[in-house]
Amino acid sequence: MAQGDRLYDCYNPPAQEFVRGEGVYLYTENDDKYLDFIAGIAVSSLGHNHPALVETVRIQADKLWHLSNMFRIQSQYELAEKYCDCLLWAGKVFFTNSGAEAIECAIKTARRYHHDNGDPGKYEIITFTGAFHGRTFATINAGGNPKYLKGFGPVIPGFTHLEFGDHDALQETISDKTAAVLVEPVQGEGGLRPIPEVCLKGLRKLCDRHGALLIYDEVQCGAGRTGKFFAHQWADRDAEPDIMAAAKGIGGGFPLGACIAREEIAKVMVAGTHGSTYGGNPLATAVGCTIFDIISQPEFLDSVTKTSNFLKQQFEGLKDQFPDVIAEIRGKGLLIGMKLKKPAVDVRALALEKRLVAGSAGDNVLRMAPPLIIDETHVREAVGILTECFESAQEMEDFSL
Ligand SMILES: *Cc1c(COP(=O)(O)O)cnc(C)c1O
């Protein structure tokens, strides 16, 4: 059998095989060097082989790997304290291993909250087209993407999907049956679409009017990616959620997720209502603490904003230079993409040949989510490679929507 034949065919990786990473670069066995502008899809927030993270893992690995949540885990208390200090609305945290599990916990918390408040019929979750919340049963039903639901049996009732940005549909649909509205402040998989701050505030007001909870999925846009520790912090306190899911970048490559909720809401999740064997294990939460301490520094976040402004300006320049290839620059901070007029997956493959690792997203978007430690030199290097790619892409057939 060929290599990979023993794996599910859910992924189709390219021939390049990376064996080592250093900062913003990945290396193959032959030491070919690639500029990493996707960071394992917004995960390796501090790049590869970061000395502080390696040290944290080494120290913890020498002490204790795992206990299960049957026992006290000091680094969980510390990390939960850090998140709640950073988010004034937040009161309690449940740690998970992944984004999907953090969303599962958020959905369970919202429904249980209404149930315990004497309103068990209030279970409907509203989401929007282009949403992505993970690949478990609850989260594919929450996301509502027909491609991800197909062939997996009956859809789970209790999820309603509305057109992204359709305010009227939302006003008409939200009701006393609505448990929560679930949104990504910046849509990732759906094509890097940020929700304007004014809309987040409107959403908050609308939820309040109907006694619905507001849940943010910051799995991709959190962890400093937009220049705030969490993306919704760009809006002022009028857009704070009731529950939030985080993962990806908060673990920097170590599997870690978190469901963070207001105290009075989280309180309903008492012993026996939820659990996880690994969630928040000592290794994961030790890494989470080190990452939080680095990314939450104001100077670090300022440098993300500075670099992302430069990146955006350079990308807008590329758009002017290649109007036949690039339709629009999208995203926020270092979660940035280009909606293309040529097939994004082909341009992505072209970039990989030229040793730039990028991603793609829905709506024919070339997606980039580089490590947050990139500087202007890396941006220039990426722009140089992309320029060559777009020169070739001009010859490609147009992408039909
Ligand atoms: C990746 C992602 C998830 C799912 O996270 P996993 O760790 O893959 O389960 C959920 N929501 C958003 C916005 C994501 O980008």
Side-chain angles (χ1 to χ4, degrees):
M1 294 194 101
Q3 199 187 31
D5 283 357
R6 290 297 185 200
L7 299 180
Y8 268 41
D9 296 312
C10 298
Y11 288 97
N12 185 21
Q16 286 85 351
E17 194 172 329
F18 301 111
V19 295
R20 155 177 102 75
E22 192 67 52
V24 184
Y25 294 95
L26 288 167
Y27 297 85
T28 64
E29 195 86 69
N30 310 330
D31 238 20
D32 292 338
K33 185 179 175 187
Y34 287 69
L35 180 60
D36 185 5
F37 257 49
I38 193 63
I41 314 188
V43 168
S44 307
S45 40
L46 296 182
H48 303 282
N49 201 19
H50 191 285
L53 296 185
V54 173
E55 182 70 1
T56 301
V57 172
R58 213 192 297 278
I59 291 171
Q60 190 58 46
D62 267 345
K63 286 202 266 188
L64 183 67
W65 289 26
H66 180 75
L67 279 169
S68 95
N69 291 300
M70 291 165 62
F71 297 100
R72 298 181 158 268
I73 297 171
Q74 197 56 45
S75 47
Q76 280 192 12
Y77 302 136
E78 284 171 31
L79 188 54
E81 203 68 57
K82 288 176 195 290
Y83 290 153
C84 293
D85 282 348
C86 157
L87 299 164
L88 297 169
W89 54 269
K92 282 178 179 292
V93 181
F94 185 91
F95 288 109
T96 68
N97 312 290
S98 67
E101 289 167 284
I103 293 289
E104 292 264 352
C105 181
I107 293 170
K108 282 178 74 175
T109 304
R111 287 187 173 170
R112 184 68 183 228
Y113 171 74
H114 295 302
H115 170 275
D116 286 13
N117 275 291
D119 210 349
K122 201 171 171 62
Y123 61 74
E124 181 199 40
I125 310 284
I126 295 179
T127 63
F128 300 90
T129 47
F132 181 79
H133 301 297
R135 297 293 207 128
T136 62
F137 262 114
T139 56
I140 55 175
N141 280 274
N145 184 338
K147 260 193 351 213
Y148 297 163
L149 285 161
K150 186 184 163 196
F152 298 123
V155 297
I156 301 174
F159 294 95
T160 302
H161 311 107
L162 303 178
E163 199 56 44
F164 182 84
D166 190 341
H167 295 104
D168 295 339
L170 179 59
Q171 301 263 8
E172 279 162 29
T173 307
I174 195 167
S175 73
D176 59 1
K177 297 274 172 282
T178 308
V181 176
L182 165 60
V183 292
E184 298 152 77
V186 185
Q187 269 195 354
E189 305 291 319
L192 307 187
R193 295 189 290 187
I195 300 182
E197 285 160 32
V198 54
C199 295
L200 291 180
K201 289 180 193 174
L203 205 48
R204 174 73 272 177
K205 274 208 195 87
L206 193 64
C207 285
D208 287 342
R209 211 174 307 139
H210 294 272
L213 302 182
L214 178 57
I215 306 175
Y216 287 155
D217 179 344
E218 291 230 17
V219 170
Q220 192 159 155
C221 61
R225 187 137 296 276
T226 68
K228 297 279 186 193
F229 199 91
F230 290 108
H232 74 272
Q233 293 177 303
W234 282 109
D236 60 32
R237 298 207 59 193
D238 297 338
E240 289 175 343
D242 298 299
I243 308 174
M244 184 182 80
K248 292 200 167 108
I250 63 167
F254 206 101
L256 174 67
C259 174
I260 304 172
R262 290 182 192 267
E263 162 107 41
E264 68 274 19
I265 292 162
K267 232 168 41 186
V268 301
M269 298 297 279
V270 295
T273 56
H274 197 49
S276 169
T277 299
Y278 288 124
N281 106 337
L283 280 163
T285 40
V287 170
C289 285
T290 302
I291 294 208
F292 182 91
D293 290 345
I294 294 172
I295 295 183
S296 63
Q297 297 286 328
E299 312 83 68
F300 186 93
L301 291 168
D302 286 348
S303 87
V304 169
T305 301
K306 204 166 143 266
T307 312
S308 65
N309 286 341
F310 180 69
L311 181 68
K312 182 146 197 188
Q313 180 201 330
Q314 293 291 307
F315 279 13
E316 290 290 351
L318 283 173
K319 181 176 162 253
D320 294 341
Q321 201 180 335
F322 297 100
D324 298 336
V325 181
I326 305 171
E328 191 188 359
I329 308 299
R330 287 197 187 165
K332 190 155 180 153
L334 289 178
L335 185 55
I336 189 160
M338 302 170 169
K339 184 176 162 67
L340 299 186
K341 297 177 182 176
K342 310 289 177 179
V345 287
D346 295 340
V347 177
R348 184 190 68 189
L350 209 57
L352 188 64
E353 272 172 37
K354 299 180 189 297
R355 302 200 178 169
L356 172 71
V357 188
S360 53
D363 210 16
N364 200 45
V365 167
L366 184 68
R367 165 166 46 171
M368 276 160 276
L372 306 180
I373 55 169
I374 59 162
D375 60 31
E376 294 191 359
T377 335
H378 303 115
V379 173
R380 286 206 179 84
E381 191 181 340
V383 167
I385 297 173
L386 288 169
T387 305
E388 290 177 31
C389 293
F390 295 150
E391 276 162 3
S392 317
Q394 283 175 325
E395 313 304 320
M396 288 178 183
E397 276 201 38
D398 282 359
F399 181 79
S400 54
L401 285 165

